[in-house]
Amino acid sequence: MNNLLYLPNGMEAVEAEYNEFPLEEYNTNPFIQALPPLMDKQSIIKKLVSPISFKEEERNMDNAYRLHMIHRLYKLFQPLPIHLDIWNTIHTLIYQGYLARNPFDKNYRRYINQTGKKIINRTFDINARADFRTTSSCATLIGHSGMGKTTTVGRVVSNIPQIIAHNHYNGQHFQQIQISHLTLQTPSNSSLKALTLQFFMKVDELLGTNTFRKHVSRNLSTDAMLPLMGQVAQNSIGLLIIDEIQHLQNRGIQQMMNYFVTLMNSFGVPILFVGTPASYTVFQNEFRIARRVSGNGEIIWNNMMNNQEFLFFLESIWRYQWNRNFVSLNDELVNVFYEQTQGVSDLIVKLFVNVQEMCIASGKEEFTVNMVKRCAEKQFKLMKPMLEAIKSKNVYKMAQFEDLREIGHSPDMLITNQIKERIDVIHTDKKIVIETEKKDIEHKKHQDKKVVKNVEGDIRDILKKSGETYQLLVANGYIDDMALWLEGGGK
């Protein structure tokens, strides 16, 4: 176990202890060897899981205390398969990112010395091609709000010492402070200067340095501060986590993305982007970032389906009932919980807490399906349109809420994917013909096209009733006539 140290500013650090890895390339780099050993699946789960205190006799305690005990549920962390993916992605980014930044590699030392001189002499060109072969990459974690993205990333990196103090390595003097990971929030105004100042403030907070005061007092421009930020990050930081990336605005995307590319290419710093589906267009519009993200990791975290994963998550919290009368989980309760939360983990826990509060306050003291429905109706009023959009599976309806956009699809599509998969609409002179799906492709090729039969309420029925296809699709909610946008000037 690492010995704890305290820096002059009072921050806690660990003394570097060097591990031997089965990977030969990891055993010559102090930054990598000071990191924890890699783990198998079961060990990762044990590290991630966070149970909460609970005793059955607590159900007999006074209402005032039980109402407070329920809130322990917000500290519960139940690992799911996607959490293992996030763990492995983060560890890969950090370990691989340090490979090319070996402080005992003479070529790397020569490169950072040359880069440092250029930065001091103000001749460093942030857009120039670097004479440095980086091993860093970036990855994205994109998911619906309420799925626990930020919490999970924080949980994973909490298992890696953030500040590691080096003194000697393989009998050689080596004084260095290593920051294994650093999280920044995307500035809401897409300001690179705000990002750099936030970076210097966080580094100063961790290490007790005064880089922020020094650069602010000199009133350096953004162009001057960016290379300094890159130099500090290059010397020690294992992973830069950029959270809430969806806050990037159009006018700042290009400049911000150019700098992130420079951080990876010229300074060798890996990056993890975290955001909602609204941020996906940021990467699609920047090919250099999209190429790197696709190469190392792209984790899409949608709401849970009503399947084994959802059941497992619900079962993991269900035993934490502080109502006097314990109610076993059954299919009816499973379905009503899914209906009211649509598999959003944050809402599942909140509903579970709020129903218990209602049970205790009302004196009912046990779960019922009707109570779950009443509680959801009362507590989730603001979220009802979003939940209805998720429930509808209608891509356009979901696209109206940035946090719910279905990744990979344009919000102005005319019909949903589900419809596209079911029917193939073919327009002839004055009639609409539907080619039905057939499992046997060869048979399908020779089958005559059939005219759709009238099925009340089906989109095919809507299409058949009139040739005014566009107006009918608008009226039935499959597309928007854009009137609201036109009236509001596109805002």
Side-chain angles (χ1 to χ4, degrees):
M1 185 176 179
N2 297 88
N3 295 322
L4 291 179
L5 302 173
Y6 291 93
L7 302 180
N9 65 333
M11 288 297 293
E12 188 178 277
V14 299
E15 184 179 0
E17 291 182 2
Y18 303 109
N19 299 298
E20 288 293 321
F21 290 88
L23 287 75
E24 181 182 348
E25 62 269 29
Y26 283 4
N27 292 327
T28 57
N29 189 319
F31 288 148
I32 298 177
Q33 288 191 269
L35 297 173
L38 299 175
M39 301 180 186
D40 59 21
K41 179 179 177 180
Q42 293 303 319
S43 299
I44 294 172
I45 292 173
K46 289 179 181 179
K47 285 289 185 180
L48 287 177
V49 70
S50 177
I52 56 176
S53 174
F54 176 79
K55 297 177 182 178
E56 290 188 6
E57 52 265 32
E58 290 175 341
R59 294 173 181 152
N60 298 318
M61 294 185 70
D62 189 84
N63 292 6
Y65 292 102
R66 288 188 292 143
L67 288 171
H68 282 258
M69 292 172 184
I70 295 169
H71 288 263
R72 295 173 187 168
L73 280 160
Y74 291 123
K75 297 180 180 179
L76 177 71
F77 191 94
Q78 174 59 56
L80 297 172
I82 195 165
H83 297 135
L84 301 182
D85 293 339
I86 296 169
W87 174 288
N88 290 326
T89 295
I90 287 175
H91 281 71
T92 299
L93 286 170
I94 296 176
Y95 286 63
Q96 288 290 314
Y98 274 131
L99 270 178
R101 293 184 291 156
N102 187 341
F104 286 91
D105 181 280
K106 61 180 181 181
N107 292 324
Y108 176 66
R109 287 204 308 270
R110 185 184 304 115
Y111 171 74
I112 60 174
N113 288 335
Q114 292 172 350
T115 303
K117 290 177 182 178
K118 290 179 181 178
I119 292 173
I120 292 172
N121 297 328
R122 303 287 184 90
T123 59
F124 180 82
D125 184 357
I126 200 169
N127 297 311
R129 184 179 179 85
D131 184 22
F132 169 62
R133 187 169 183 177
T134 180
T135 54
S136 72
S137 186
C138 71
T140 55
L141 171 57
I142 298 178
H144 291 171
S145 291
M147 294 308 297
K149 301 180 297 297
T150 301
T151 300
T152 301
V153 170
R155 186 79 184 160
V156 171
V157 297
S158 70
N159 287 278
I160 305 173
Q162 186 174 23
I163 308 174
I164 304 172
H166 300 260
N167 287 300
H168 297 87
Y169 178 71
N170 287 344
Q172 299 182 61
H173 182 68
F174 177 59
Q175 278 199 322
Q176 177 75 50
I177 298 292
Q178 174 183 357
I179 302 175
S180 62
H181 53 87
L182 184 69
T183 300
L184 302 179
Q185 299 294 318
T186 304
S188 57
N189 61 355
S190 303
S191 166
L192 261 177
K193 186 165 187 176
L195 182 75
T196 56
L197 294 179
Q198 180 188 166
F199 171 85
F200 288 130
M201 288 177 67
K202 290 221 172 184
V203 171
D204 287 350
E205 180 184 352
L206 291 174
L207 304 184
T209 50
N210 64 345
T211 50
F212 174 80
R213 188 177 9 161
K214 181 170 60 177
H215 299 317
V216 170
S217 63
R218 290 167 58 190
N219 198 26
L220 292 178
S221 66
T222 302
D223 289 341
M225 284 194 294
L226 287 176
L228 291 169
M229 174 182 169
Q231 187 179 36
V232 172
Q234 177 187 47
N235 288 338
S236 62
I237 293 178
L239 175 65
L240 199 58
I241 300 166
I242 310 296
D243 203 0
E244 306 293 354
I245 195 69
Q246 72 275 5
H247 289 166
L248 279 181
Q249 300 172 1
N250 290 333
R251 64 185 179 85
I253 289 177
Q254 188 67 38
Q255 187 184 21
M256 189 77 79
M257 285 299 159
N258 282 343
Y259 183 60
F260 288 143
V261 170
T262 301
L263 272 178
M264 289 182 286
N265 288 344
S266 298
F267 297 107
V269 183
I271 300 175
L272 173 65
F273 296 107
V274 182
T276 68
S279 62
Y280 202 69
T281 52
V282 172
F283 306 109
Q284 288 181 324
N285 293 335
E286 182 55 64
F287 175 73
R288 291 173 298 169
I289 291 288
R291 177 176 61 84
R292 283 185 170 274
V293 167
S294 300
N296 194 77
E298 181 179 3
I299 301 175
I300 306 301
W301 196 351
N302 293 317
N303 59 306
M304 288 181 275
M305 304 302 291
N306 192 359
N307 54 19
Q308 286 300 116
E309 183 181 28
F310 173 73
L311 178 60
F312 172 75
F313 184 82
L314 197 55
E315 286 175 340
S316 70
I317 68 173
W318 199 257
R319 73 184 188 91
Y320 298 109
Q321 291 184 40
W322 279 271
N323 300 326
R324 298 201 192 281
N325 303 319
F326 178 83
V327 174
S328 299
L329 186 62
N330 55 46
D331 290 344
E332 194 175 12
L333 284 168
V334 170
N335 290 331
V336 75
F337 257 84
Y338 190 82
E339 178 77 12
Q340 302 302 329
T341 64
Q342 290 300 305
V344 177
S345 53
D346 180 57
L347 298 185
I348 298 168
V349 175
K350 284 180 178 175
L351 182 58
F352 191 62
V353 168
N354 289 331
V355 173
Q356 290 196 58
E357 288 181 339
M358 182 178 286
C359 289
I360 294 172
S362 66
K364 299 292 184 182
E365 292 292 353
E366 68 179 26
F367 277 85
T368 65
V369 170
N370 287 336
M371 189 167 285
V372 174
K373 290 180 179 178
R374 288 202 307 272
C375 186
E377 182 69 26
K378 179 181 178 181
Q379 299 294 333
F380 295 167
K381 285 181 180 179
L382 291 176
M383 289 173 282
K384 189 174 181 180
M386 295 79 155
L387 291 170
E388 289 296 326
I390 297 175
K391 182 180 175 182
S392 73
K393 306 299 182 184
N394 185 309
V395 175
Y396 176 75
K397 290 180 180 179
M398 293 173 68
Q400 295 179 71
F401 305 99
E402 288 190 342
D403 291 353
L404 302 181
R405 286 179 184 172
E406 188 160 311
I407 295 171
H409 301 289
S410 171
D412 61 353
M413 57 173 39
L414 297 180
I415 57 177
T416 65
N417 280 356
Q418 291 86 346
I419 298 170
K420 285 183 177 180
E421 291 169 358
R422 288 170 52 199
I423 60 176
D424 189 11
V425 181
I426 303 172
H427 293 274
T428 58
D429 291 340
K430 289 188 177 180
K431 63 180 180 180
I432 298 173
V433 179
I434 308 295
E435 186 176 50
T436 58
E437 285 186 342
K438 294 296 177 182
K439 292 182 179 179
D440 188 337
I441 297 176
E442 291 302 319
H443 178 66
K444 182 177 179 179
K445 288 181 179 178
H446 299 290
Q447 185 186 27
D448 292 331
K449 294 171 184 176
K450 299 179 180 180
V451 179
V452 179
K453 294 183 179 180
N454 188 0
V455 181
E456 190 65 31
D458 194 287
I459 187 174
R460 294 169 290 186
D461 173 52
I462 296 170
L463 293 170
K464 186 179 178 184
K465 283 181 179 178
S466 169
E468 299 296 328
T469 306
Y470 173 78
Q471 287 79 3
L472 286 170
L473 289 172
V474 170
N476 285 272
Y478 287 100
I479 60 175
D480 194 339
D481 63 1
M482 305 304 286
L484 181 63
W485 286 81
L486 293 172
E487 290 171 5
K491 295 182 180 179

